[in-house]
Amino acid sequence: MIERAYCLGLDFGTNSVRALLADAADGREVASAEAVYASGRGGVILEAAEPDLARQHPGDYVRGLESAVLEVLDAARRAEAGFSAEKVIGLGAAATGSTPLPVDRSGRPVALSPRFREHPAAQAWLWKDHTAHEEAGLITWLAQKEHPEYLAKSGGAYSSEWFFSKIFRCLRIAPEVFDAAWTWVELSDFLPALLTGTLDPARMRRNRCAAGHKAMWNEEWGGLPSEEFLGRLDSRLAGLRRRLYDRTFTADSPAGGLSPEWSGRLGLRPGTPVACGALDAHLGAVGSNAAPGRMVKIIGTSTCDIVVWPKSEPLYDVPGLCGIVDGSVLPGFFGLEAGQSAVGDIFHWFVNTLQAGGPGRGSHEKLAASAAALRPGESGLLALDWNNGNRTVLVDQRLTGLLLGQTLQTEAAEVYRALIEATAFGALVIINRLEEYGVRVEEIVACGGIVEKNPLLLQIYADVLGREIHVAPSGSASALGAAMAGAVAAGTSRGGHGDFPSAQRAMCAAPRRVVRPQPGATTVYGELFRLYVRLHDAFGKENEGEPLYPVMKDLLALRDRQRRL
Amino acid sequence: MIERAYCLGLDFGTNSVRALLADAADGREVASAEAVYASGRGGVILEAAEPDLARQHPGDYVRGLESAVLEVLDAARRAEAGFSAEKVIGLGAAATGSTPLPVDRSGRPVALSPRFREHPAAQAWLWKDHTAHEEAGLITWLAQKEHPEYLAKSGGAYSSEWFFSKIFRCLRIAPEVFDAAWTWVELSDFLPALLTGTLDPARMRRNRCAAGHKAMWNEEWGGLPSEEFLGRLDSRLAGLRRRLYDRTFTADSPAGGLSPEWSGRLGLRPGTPVACGALDAHLGAVGSNAAPGRMVKIIGTSTCDIVVWPKSEPLYDVPGLCGIVDGSVLPGFFGLEAGQSAVGDIFHWFVNTLQAGGPGRGSHEKLAASAAALRPGESGLLALDWNNGNRTVLVDQRLTGLLLGQTLQTEAAEVYRALIEATAFGALVIINRLEEYGVRVEEIVACGGIVEKNPLLLQIYADVLGREIHVAPSGSASALGAAMAGAVAAGTSRGGHGDFPSAQRAMCAAPRRVVRPQPGATTVYGELFRLYVRLHDAFGKENEGEPLYPVMKDLLALRDRQRRL
């Protein structure tokens, strides 16, 4: 009898943590479990007066982690004869990001202290928090002037979603929290450190993926931006720089062994290898069999696009791309990240806010069913997908949504379809930009929550993008990628794998479904896309004398002024 | 004891006919009644495949007229001691327009014949039918080239909503209906002719108001456009021209006396004077005490703005204005008409289609209550009010709605308020255009359905327009104006009035309410209006190299193409 080996992947998403137990030999998914975060609205702490704010309570991660792992192990015991927790050979963790949290000298989150329990600035600053847009502007301005190389790999701009913008914001609006923090850690670093008992900032292994994509880390200039640069923003940031880090680690390397404390809490063997963390999208790409020529799209509340590119081939800096980081997905390859700040969130907003639904009315299912019966272009509608700003290629959070073409006959399902189409057009802008710079995108692998639930979206994407959409083999690609990281951290001697490519060959199955573009629809969408680009450029690009570029920005400035009255 | 005299006003609106019985001495409203049209959706016949189509069945007018008059007389008998139908001294009728209907040689609507009972082209072409946009384009093109004077008083363009566009459309798409029709009549001509037994086209008195504002009638060139001009469009239109009319009559003149047949059906004295008809907005202006410097806004599903200007003062042609017609409101004054193609219709669309309401959710009342709590500008939203095209000052039906600024936090009430604000900005564009050409607008008199129901709208209008809004004395201003026309047609000898100014002095009461602008809000709305103008000009004006101007038009062309597949 062959002794089976299992690996455990954790995926800390926006609303919940998912745990997936997979067979290390072939990637078969044995069991999964999900724990919803307790605080705020769906796990997200919001503030009415500050619409850009989105935070999470660190205690939710800790409780969610424990509860999801215990549940998945229970489920595995029921589902699989011969399974025991002893046979889990490795763990990995994916997380949203940039989601930095302030921690004390021992690495403990400041928000877990009684003094700061309720302080919004002491919580984890969730990836989609946009309060730091002013600070992002300052960082971008200074870097463009003095260190353009810092931004060359992240599209020429530093985002309000990212690490230093958020820390700088905290320093300016809540100095008491900044002062109480010894340093700041990404959620994707905090979790492996928590599990391995290496929260001590001097010992904690920081992951290459979040550091490179969100904190301007690059080996070329010896790590993070210099003390001198950060000091030009604020001298206290220079002080913080000394308490941050220089080295980073890819997700195939171990962060350490499971600590006795967490071994006890979870019932797993002490010392079980725990891989270094990575961002959820990047591990999702690993779990979706990322390879050159193939774009992995993780389509959920927002979208992340991941492409890998061999280090042996030339690669230009791609303007407007969120990031190009050596080894952020697969060691030996550049990991390219692009993305859209809101996708599923836009459809949810439409259904929950505008379709104030009576019984059976205005559900996603009903709207999608009616929308599916429409021909491309027959609604006369066109939308921009900027309800949460634009991450790629404009890199501008101060952009907003737009819906155009409505008449008195426009139906809700038409608007719903136009919103899906808008996100597909946004996706095409990204692909076109990549190909303009020589990075080919021949097919799409789609994963993420929406892919499982919305077949209409897949067909529209295939038609708009003019490319096959392969539905990723796993419905939990980020958790599977995390489990694969655990299997690689464990290594072949324990029944795991030597590297990611071996793990992918063994553990990634064939696409569950292939959606092909319909040529007629692709032609019509070509016409609509040209109109989309006109709106995109008029409202999104600061051209000489463009009268519309300031409109969204002026409205947001007025909004913020009026809300503060 | 003074013998009281009463006059009866009829207002044929979009969804129903209203009958108002007023005391001729002081305008006191004794009783009113409403009859809803039976056909279609709320009285309007629609076609899914042809979103621009809006028709009405002529039989609905006849049945609605009888039922509303019988009901108002009954109500008056109950409400007023000493009232009897004998004491009704005159009748007047207001109607929507341009709402032309094809009639046979005896003046009987073609749609009442069994052959054409169900034919959409044989029905009345309701004012808001926009199927004739191609024909409107052809007429505009030819007139601009050969007879610019035809359009000089209607803003330089001929609308798809108007008389000849609709007839030309019928000729092209339903020649069998065009051939079955001897001539075409406006609804506002058909009704007095019906009541007075003068349906015979040779005897029917056509009203100055609809002829001047909708059919290019002008004394300067001897009436309607020439046979030669119409023949250039189609020789059959030249033939029709000979069966139309040359003379027109103002609403203070009698169309005739009540026919024996209708005297019998309604129980009114045979021979009771019936005034010539006029468009509802223009009689609404009479009933709202129209005078120079005062704009009467009839705010309902759409909006009509009426201003009068003394013939003794200079008046330039105002580009983009729907019409300037001598005597269309008050004899001795030019009547200026402007308007917005959709106002209440936009709010209804939002509530009925986008706010698919569960119990108590998303009603006008709830949305207005939440929207009233918002400060100007604090939603970050801005909309264009073109869901039904733009009537003034762009005169372009191939424009559509736009909503901009939505985020993931945007609430339904914020959108609702933004839509109200958009219609207010549209109203300000019209006022600014008038004042640019020397026509002063010092105060606004508001009447129409929305004015009665939506106090939030009145405050937003006062704030955006920076002017006092006087709520018209009557809640049924068009019906009151029609009753006043009846009283003038009856004349002083029967207890009526000698002319409209005397009738206004006697019968128009003081405003029911005055809403004053709030200076702080007016300042903020000034900022928002400047942004509105940017959108308005970018999407609405065909400037050299403007990349956005074609967007709405291309979308509509694609929509129409895809729907015809």
Side-chain angles (χ1 to χ4, degrees):
Chain A
M1 181 186 155
I2 300 160
E3 191 62 38
R4 290 196 187 280
Y6 301 91
C7 47
L8 184 60
L10 299 168
D11 175 19
F12 291 79
T14 299
N15 309 108
S16 63
V17 51
R18 171 176 294 275
L20 174 74
L21 191 83
D23 188 321
D26 57 8
R28 184 177 51 92
E29 302 185 2
V30 177
S32 72
E34 192 177 4
V36 172
Y37 305 139
S39 308
R41 188 162 154 186
V44 182
I45 299 163
L46 304 171
E47 271 192 14
E50 178 65 278
D52 289 329
L53 185 145
R55 306 280 157 85
Q56 294 190 313
H57 184 59
D60 288 350
Y61 302 133
V62 180
R63 280 184 292 277
L65 159 60
E66 182 167 3
S67 133
V69 172
L70 292 176
E71 194 184 326
V72 80
L73 294 175
D74 263 0
R77 280 185 207 102
R78 286 194 303 274
E80 179 111 329
F83 171 80
S84 79
E86 295 283 300
K87 297 180 184 172
V88 175
I89 60 165
L91 284 75
T96 67
S98 178
T99 303
L101 47 165
V103 298
D104 65 19
R105 198 151 187 164
S106 67
R108 187 183 149 84
V110 169
L112 298 183
S113 74
R115 181 176 162 212
F116 291 108
R117 175 69 185 79
E118 302 288 335
H119 197 306
Q123 313 301 315
W125 293 51
L126 188 60
W127 65 273
K128 66 175 168 179
D129 185 292
H130 289 144
T131 50
H133 55 85
E134 279 175 29
E135 291 73 17
L138 286 169
I139 295 172
T140 298
W141 171 81
L142 187 66
Q144 282 175 345
K145 203 159 62 97
E146 309 211 336
H147 286 282
E149 74 279 11
Y150 287 171
L151 302 180
K153 307 291 178 196
S154 68
Y158 194 76
S159 165
S160 65
E161 288 186 1
W162 294 351
F163 193 69
F164 287 113
S165 300
K166 286 167 167 168
I167 297 173
F168 191 13
R169 178 78 186 165
C170 176
L171 185 160
R172 293 174 77 203
I173 58 141
E176 67 284 12
V177 170
F178 183 86
D179 291 340
W182 172 254
T183 188
W184 289 67
V185 300
E186 276 286 347
L187 177 57
S188 49
D189 289 329
F190 172 73
L191 297 161
L194 178 75
L195 288 169
T196 57
T198 59
L199 282 174
D200 174 358
R203 292 177 61 210
M204 182 188 291
R205 291 192 152 187
R206 308 286 192 139
N207 77 77
R208 167 76 57 88
C209 181
H213 284 290
K214 311 297 177 190
M216 296 183 273
W217 186 95
N218 194 308
E219 225 156 22
E220 275 179 37
W221 50 84
L224 294 173
S226 71
E227 244 184 86
E228 182 266 339
F229 173 81
L230 292 172
R232 289 287 302 279
L233 297 167
D234 191 295
S235 61
R236 289 166 291 177
L237 286 179
L240 173 69
R241 171 68 181 83
R242 293 190 289 274
R243 302 189 302 276
L244 287 166
Y245 56 90
D246 294 311
R247 287 186 64 197
T248 61
F249 299 85
T250 52
D252 57 342
S253 55
L258 192 66
S259 72
E261 182 200 342
W262 278 94
S263 164
R265 286 171 80 163
L266 302 178
L268 298 171
R269 278 190 311 178
T272 306
V274 178
C276 283
L279 297 172
D280 45 10
H282 301 67
L283 280 175
V286 172
S288 299
N289 212 3
R294 191 182 286 158
M295 170 183 273
V296 178
K297 286 186 82 70
I298 300 96
I299 312 175
T301 53
S302 68
T303 288
C304 240
D305 300 329
I306 303 288
V307 174
V308 294
W309 192 252
K311 288 183 67 176
S312 54
E313 288 190 34
L315 177 61
Y316 300 98
D317 295 339
V318 185
L321 209 66
C322 310
I324 303 176
V325 175
D326 174 10
S328 67
V329 181
L330 302 176
F333 292 82
F334 287 110
L336 284 68
E337 182 193 337
Q340 292 168 264
S341 309
V343 175
D345 269 348
I346 298 180
F347 318 143
H348 285 309
W349 167 76
F350 179 70
V351 169
N352 297 334
T353 306
L354 290 196
Q355 283 284 294
R361 287 201 66 173
S363 67
H364 282 285
E365 294 70 24
K366 267 199 87 138
L367 289 166
S370 305
L374 297 168
R375 278 184 285 269
E378 80 163 305
S379 70
L381 295 174
L382 186 61
L384 287 173
D385 49 319
W386 299 346
N387 296 41
N388 195 25
N390 178 293
R391 193 187 293 158
T392 310
V393 300
L394 299 169
V395 198
D396 187 347
Q397 295 306 334
R398 302 291 280 176
L399 294 172
T400 50
L402 183 149
L403 176 69
L404 180 151
Q406 52 273 38
T407 69
L408 299 175
Q409 286 75 41
T410 297
E411 297 286 346
E414 294 179 310
V415 177
Y416 188 77
R417 185 176 176 116
L419 295 176
I420 295 177
E421 290 169 346
T423 67
F425 294 140
L428 185 53
V429 169
I430 294 171
I431 292 175
N432 287 352
R433 174 60 60 93
L434 284 168
E435 296 215 317
E436 222 179 296
Y437 283 81
V439 179
R440 62 179 194 280
V441 177
E442 285 153 6
E443 64 185 30
I444 312 287
V445 181
C447 56
I450 287 186
V451 173
E452 311 296 321
K453 287 176 284 194
N454 199 327
L456 171 65
L457 178 136
L458 292 181
Q459 188 60 58
I460 289 174
Y461 272 49
D463 292 343
V464 168
L465 304 180
R467 288 166 172 86
E468 286 186 358
I469 310 280
H470 295 198
V471 176
S474 170
S476 312
S478 296
L480 177 62
M484 289 162 72
V488 175
T492 49
S493 64
R494 288 184 179 84
H497 299 283
D499 54 20
F500 271 141
S502 321
Q504 284 184 317
R505 279 190 299 275
M507 296 178 71
C508 289
R512 278 176 291 161
R513 198 151 68 86
V514 176
V515 183
R516 293 191 172 79
Q518 308 167 114
T522 299
T523 306
V524 175
Y525 278 133
E527 287 184 56
L528 281 172
F529 180 67
R530 283 191 288 279
L531 297 176
Y532 174 92
V533 168
R534 289 189 179 201
L535 295 178
H536 177 280
D537 290 355
F539 287 99
K541 291 188 178 174
E542 194 172 8
N543 300 321
E544 194 64 51
E546 172 53 73
L548 294 183
Y549 175 75
V551 171
M552 290 175 177
K553 289 157 201 311
D554 289 358
L555 285 169
L556 290 176
L558 178 59
R559 175 196 74 176
D560 296 345
R561 217 177 72 207
Q562 291 294 88
R563 289 200 181 185
R564 288 198 196 100
L565 280 184
Chain B
M1 182 185 150
I2 300 162
E3 191 63 36
R4 289 195 187 280
Y6 301 91
C7 48
L8 183 60
L10 299 167
D11 175 20
F12 289 81
T14 300
N15 309 110
S16 64
V17 51
R18 170 176 296 275
L20 173 75
L21 191 84
D23 188 320
D26 57 9
R28 183 176 52 94
E29 302 185 2
V30 177
S32 73
E34 193 177 4
V36 172
Y37 305 139
S39 307
R41 188 163 155 183
V44 182
I45 298 164
L46 304 171
E47 270 192 16
E50 178 65 279
D52 289 328
L53 184 145
R55 307 278 157 84
Q56 293 190 314
H57 184 60
D60 289 351
Y61 303 132
V62 181
R63 280 184 293 275
L65 158 61
E66 181 166 5
S67 134
V69 172
L70 291 176
E71 193 184 325
V72 78
L73 295 175
D74 262 0
R77 281 184 206 103
R78 285 194 305 272
E80 179 111 332
F83 171 80
S84 78
E86 295 283 300
K87 298 181 183 170
V88 175
I89 59 166
L91 283 74
T96 67
S98 176
T99 303
L101 48 164
V103 298
D104 66 18
R105 200 151 186 162
S106 67
R108 186 182 149 85
V110 170
L112 298 183
S113 73
R115 181 176 163 210
F116 291 108
R117 176 69 185 78
E118 303 288 334
H119 198 305
Q123 313 301 315
W125 294 51
L126 188 59
W127 64 274
K128 65 175 167 178
D129 185 293
H130 289 144
T131 51
H133 54 85
E134 279 175 29
E135 291 73 17
L138 286 169
I139 296 172
T140 299
W141 170 81
L142 187 66
Q144 282 175 346
K145 203 160 61 98
E146 311 211 337
H147 285 282
E149 74 278 13
Y150 286 172
L151 302 180
K153 308 290 177 197
S154 67
Y158 195 75
S159 165
S160 64
E161 288 186 2
W162 295 349
F163 192 69
F164 286 113
S165 300
K166 286 168 168 167
I167 296 172
F168 191 13
R169 178 80 185 163
C170 176
L171 184 161
R172 293 174 78 204
I173 58 141
E176 68 282 13
V177 171
F178 183 86
D179 292 340
W182 172 254
T183 188
W184 289 68
V185 300
E186 277 286 347
L187 178 57
S188 49
D189 288 328
F190 172 74
L191 297 161
L194 179 75
L195 288 168
T196 55
T198 59
L199 281 175
D200 174 357
R203 292 178 60 211
M204 181 187 294
R205 291 192 152 189
R206 309 287 192 138
N207 76 79
R208 166 77 55 90
C209 182
H213 284 290
K214 311 298 175 189
M216 297 182 274
W217 186 95
N218 194 308
E219 226 157 19
E220 277 179 35
W221 50 84
L224 294 173
S226 71
E227 243 182 87
E228 182 266 341
F229 173 81
L230 293 171
R232 290 286 302 277
L233 296 168
D234 191 294
S235 61
R236 288 166 292 177
L237 286 179
L240 173 68
R241 171 69 181 84
R242 292 190 289 272
R243 303 189 301 275
L244 286 166
Y245 55 92
D246 294 310
R247 286 187 66 198
T248 61
F249 299 84
T250 52
D252 57 342
S253 55
L258 191 65
S259 73
E261 183 200 339
W262 279 95
S263 163
R265 285 171 80 162
L266 302 178
L268 297 171
R269 278 189 310 177
T272 306
V274 177
C276 282
L279 297 172
D280 44 10
H282 300 68
L283 280 176
V286 172
S288 299
N289 211 2
R294 191 183 285 159
M295 170 183 274
V296 177
K297 285 186 84 68
I298 299 97
I299 312 176
T301 54
S302 67
T303 289
C304 240
D305 301 329
I306 303 287
V307 174
V308 295
W309 192 252
K311 288 182 70 175
S312 53
E313 288 190 35
L315 176 62
Y316 300 98
D317 294 338
V318 185
L321 209 68
C322 309
I324 303 176
V325 175
D326 175 10
S328 66
V329 180
L330 303 176
F333 292 82
F334 287 110
L336 283 69
E337 181 193 340
Q340 293 167 264
S341 310
V343 175
D345 269 347
I346 299 180
F347 318 144
H348 285 309
W349 167 76
F350 179 70
V351 168
N352 297 336
T353 305
L354 290 195
Q355 284 282 295
R361 289 201 64 173
S363 66
H364 282 285
E365 294 70 23
K366 267 200 88 137
L367 288 166
S370 305
L374 296 168
R375 278 184 285 270
E378 80 162 305
S379 70
L381 295 173
L382 186 62
L384 287 173
D385 49 320
W386 299 346
N387 296 41
N388 196 24
N390 177 293
R391 193 186 293 158
T392 312
V393 301
L394 299 169
V395 197
D396 187 346
Q397 295 307 333
R398 301 292 280 176
L399 294 172
T400 50
L402 183 149
L403 176 69
L404 181 151
Q406 51 273 39
T407 69
L408 299 174
Q409 285 75 42
T410 298
E411 298 286 347
E414 295 179 309
V415 177
Y416 188 77
R417 185 177 176 116
L419 296 176
I420 295 177
E421 290 169 347
T423 65
F425 294 140
L428 184 53
V429 169
I430 294 172
I431 291 175
N432 287 351
R433 174 61 59 94
L434 284 169
E435 296 216 318
E436 221 179 298
Y437 283 80
V439 179
R440 63 180 192 281
V441 177
E442 284 153 8
E443 64 185 30
I444 312 288
V445 181
C447 56
I450 287 187
V451 173
E452 311 297 321
K453 287 177 283 194
N454 199 328
L456 171 65
L457 178 136
L458 292 181
Q459 187 61 58
I460 289 175
Y461 273 48
D463 293 342
V464 167
L465 304 180
R467 288 166 171 87
E468 285 185 0
I469 311 281
H470 295 198
V471 175
S474 169
S476 312
S478 296
L480 177 62
M484 288 162 72
V488 175
T492 48
S493 64
R494 289 186 180 84
H497 300 280
D499 54 22
F500 271 141
S502 322
Q504 285 184 317
R505 277 191 299 275
M507 295 178 71
C508 289
R512 276 176 293 160
R513 198 149 68 83
V514 176
V515 183
R516 293 190 172 79
Q518 309 166 114
T522 298
T523 305
V524 175
Y525 278 133
E527 287 184 58
L528 282 172
F529 180 67
R530 283 190 288 280
L531 297 175
Y532 174 93
V533 168
R534 288 188 179 202
L535 296 177
H536 177 280
D537 290 354
F539 287 98
K541 291 188 178 173
E542 194 172 10
N543 300 320
E544 193 65 50
E546 172 54 70
L548 295 183
Y549 175 74
V551 171
M552 289 174 178
K553 289 156 200 312
D554 289 359
L555 285 169
L556 290 177
L558 177 60
R559 175 195 74 176
D560 296 345
R561 218 177 70 207
Q562 290 294 90
R563 290 200 181 185
R564 287 196 197 103
L565 280 185

